[in-house]
Amino acid sequence: MNGIAQESRIETKEPKLIILVLFILSIYSFFGYMLPKNMSYGLLAVSAIIMIYSLIMKKNSKFSTKQLMLASIIILFIANQLLLAPYSMFAESSIKTAINRSVILIIGVFILFQGNWYKTGTKFLFIFSCTHAIFTVASYLLPSFFNGVILPIIPREVSVEIVWFMARDVYPGITNQIGRNAFYITIGISILYSQLVMCDWKSNKFKYAIFLLLLLALLLTGKRGHLLANLMTMIFVSAIYAKYRNKGFFRKTIKIFFALAFVIFGLALIFPEAAAPFMRFIARQGGDQTSGRLVLFSYAFDLFKQKPILGWGPGVFSNLFEMGNHNVYLQLLSENGLVGFTLFVSMLLFNLSTTLRKLKFNIKNNYSLQNNTYLFFSLYVQVFYLIYGMTGNPLNDGFILIIYLIAASIPYTMKTKEKA
């Protein structure tokens, strides 16, 4: 190809049914906490039904080996969940957990077999993410307006939580949890950073301004784990791009690290409450920086040692200790044993490997810049999920899992002339 590959050929017609499903799933993920549980579950059920109908109506569909392999891994993990649930010590709760999780995973499988939805689909995610970021910053800069106009129209059970957090100088925006808000903002950061990583400063000043807004909103949540996971992911994504473009891996990594440190320091100086994540580190100096997570980790490991092969069943840890494990890997070992752990982690690593290979192929063959931004978004979300999984509950939280599955499916749905 003389060093230059032909432009990737992607289907031009967006499937309307899948776009509708992605809109429904975006509503579920970004605003489901405001809805009654039955309605949230209903959104998932409707999405699954539309997906099934869409696949049935597809004619002469050909699926790649990678799509079928990934679908097989996910289906085996679903079977692991459903078969274990009835035999756990909290059978009724475990069955509900397994079914809800399985529906989300099945939807992920259906998305995997679709194509050409990511252009519009990521727009939904970005708009909803920016909505949360704007309300977060507004609650900080315009508290009177926020308290007088916005809070009264938010469900009472959510507004009570908002007031509680704001009284402690952290900002959940219009959500009921600062962690939830931090994840929503992370999605906007991931989409925007995936574009900025390949662009120059002069031609993207407006995007950088939005990036600063999103970063400020993230800092205002006070969530240390989300901030650290984002910073590590940004550095990783930039380093991968530099490596594939042969632009100096280590120099790019160091440059991005100091640039991010400078920006965050500047935001903290201008907006004192933006230093909340760092103040929480200082406040716990000499104490337990993990906020009690080490104890939970030890409980999970003890459970794993008692039933190492199949585990205790989905959702058992939360029922025993009335909170999540805050480590998805130990949660899998304790609840699903080595079998479930191996299946789920295999899915994560298979997705990551596929995305990296696709990116490397596209960049080295000068494929479409726009297409690569979607792949970088997929990579960003996957790496963030892997890192955040060490201190969070991304398997318990359906809104996180569904966004992960949407993002991770992009490399499989992107059709090109060459095989990556």
Side-chain angles (χ1 to χ4, degrees):
M1 300 170 67
N2 298 324
I4 301 179
Q6 295 182 11
E7 187 73 8
S8 61
R9 181 177 62 190
I10 300 180
E11 302 169 16
T12 57
K13 187 178 180 181
E14 291 188 333
K16 294 181 179 180
L17 282 178
I18 306 311
I19 297 303
L20 173 61
V21 168
L22 288 168
F23 179 74
I24 294 173
L25 292 176
S26 297
I27 295 293
Y28 164 83
S29 298
F30 284 88
F31 302 103
Y33 63 92
M34 289 190 182
L35 304 174
K37 282 190 176 181
N38 290 339
M39 187 176 293
S40 293
Y41 295 150
L43 292 177
L44 290 178
V46 168
S47 298
I49 292 170
I50 295 175
M51 284 290 198
I52 293 171
Y53 173 79
S54 177
L55 282 179
I56 293 174
M57 295 302 293
K58 267 192 170 184
K59 297 179 180 179
N60 302 321
S61 297
K62 293 182 179 180
F63 305 123
S64 69
T65 302
K66 288 182 179 179
Q67 285 175 313
L68 296 174
M69 288 177 64
L70 178 59
S72 299
I73 295 172
I74 296 176
I75 290 170
L76 286 172
F77 181 71
I78 291 172
N80 173 264
Q81 299 278 301
L82 295 175
L83 291 174
L84 287 178
Y87 300 99
S88 81
M89 63 176 66
F90 304 99
E92 184 178 351
S93 176
S94 290
I95 290 173
K96 289 180 180 179
T97 299
I99 292 175
N100 184 57
R101 193 175 292 166
S102 296
V103 170
I104 292 174
L105 289 166
I106 289 171
I107 291 173
V109 172
F110 290 149
I111 295 175
L112 173 68
F113 292 124
Q114 304 299 328
N116 195 39
W117 52 261
Y118 35 84
K119 182 177 181 180
T120 301
T122 52
K123 286 181 180 178
F124 295 148
L125 301 180
F126 186 69
I127 290 171
F128 291 153
S129 174
C130 287
T131 299
H132 283 282
I134 290 170
F135 278 117
T136 302
V137 174
S139 67
Y140 168 61
L141 295 178
L142 305 168
S144 297
F145 169 79
F146 185 82
N147 293 333
V149 178
I150 305 301
L151 278 184
I153 62 177
I154 293 176
R156 178 168 174 75
E157 62 273 16
V158 176
S159 63
V160 168
E161 296 295 325
I162 293 173
V163 171
W164 188 89
F165 280 114
M166 289 178 62
R168 288 154 180 79
D169 294 325
V170 287
Y171 297 83
I174 55 173
T175 76
N176 57 352
Q177 297 175 3
I178 52 176
R180 179 187 289 272
N181 192 33
F183 177 75
Y184 291 156
I185 295 166
T186 291
I187 299 306
I189 290 174
S190 66
I191 293 172
L192 201 55
Y193 194 81
S194 300
Q195 300 173 26
L196 296 176
V197 72
M198 295 184 291
C199 302
D200 63 278
W201 152 258
K202 293 182 180 180
S203 60
N204 289 277
K205 292 181 180 179
F206 180 69
K207 289 184 179 180
Y208 275 100
I210 300 176
F211 178 76
L212 290 177
L213 173 71
L214 290 164
L215 191 56
L216 172 61
L218 179 64
L219 291 169
L220 289 172
T221 67
K223 290 299 294 182
R224 300 169 297 167
H226 291 76
L227 176 62
L228 184 60
N230 269 285
L231 294 178
M232 293 175 67
T233 303
M234 289 180 205
I235 293 171
F236 179 85
V237 168
S238 297
I240 287 296
Y241 177 66
K243 182 179 180 180
Y244 290 166
R245 289 297 302 272
N246 298 316
K247 288 190 173 183
F249 177 82
F250 292 106
R251 184 175 66 179
K252 184 70 172 180
T253 302
I254 293 172
K255 182 179 178 180
I256 292 297
F257 173 81
F258 282 106
L260 290 172
F262 176 78
V263 169
I264 291 173
F265 181 72
L267 288 173
L269 282 179
I270 299 171
F271 307 101
E273 280 75 6
F278 308 103
M279 298 306 295
R280 294 179 74 185
F281 274 116
I282 295 172
R284 295 181 181 276
Q285 190 172 9
D288 180 13
Q289 290 286 356
T290 69
S291 302
R293 285 175 171 80
L294 289 178
V295 176
L296 298 175
F297 296 169
S298 67
Y299 290 160
F301 192 68
D302 287 340
L303 289 174
F304 164 66
K305 288 189 294 184
Q306 295 175 47
K307 291 188 176 183
I309 306 302
L310 295 176
W312 291 81
V316 166
F317 190 94
S318 297
N319 279 284
L320 282 174
F321 303 104
E322 298 182 350
M323 65 175 64
N325 175 241
H326 289 282
N327 184 302
V328 69
Y329 309 107
L330 289 173
Q331 176 191 347
L332 286 163
L333 287 171
S334 62
E335 294 185 348
N336 299 92
L338 287 169
V339 174
F341 172 86
T342 301
L343 289 170
F344 192 78
V345 172
S346 294
M347 178 193 76
L348 300 180
L349 297 180
F350 191 89
N351 287 335
L352 183 64
S353 174
T354 300
T355 307
L356 287 171
R357 284 199 296 268
K358 189 84 172 180
L359 260 174
K360 184 177 182 180
F361 176 85
N362 282 10
I363 291 174
K364 288 189 177 296
N365 290 280
N366 296 319
Y367 268 34
S368 169
L369 178 68
Q370 185 180 29
N371 296 341
N372 290 340
T373 62
Y374 300 123
L375 289 173
F376 271 118
F377 162 65
S378 176
L379 178 64
Y380 193 112
V381 173
Q382 290 180 58
V383 174
F384 176 87
Y385 191 95
L386 286 165
I387 297 172
Y388 175 64
M390 297 178 184
T391 58
N393 300 302
L395 184 57
N396 286 353
D397 295 328
F399 65 95
I400 297 179
L401 181 59
I402 196 65
I403 296 297
Y404 167 83
L405 292 169
I406 289 173
S409 70
I410 290 177
Y412 305 94
T413 62
M414 188 173 285
K415 309 298 182 182
T416 59
K417 288 183 177 180
E418 305 291 339
K419 291 184 179 180

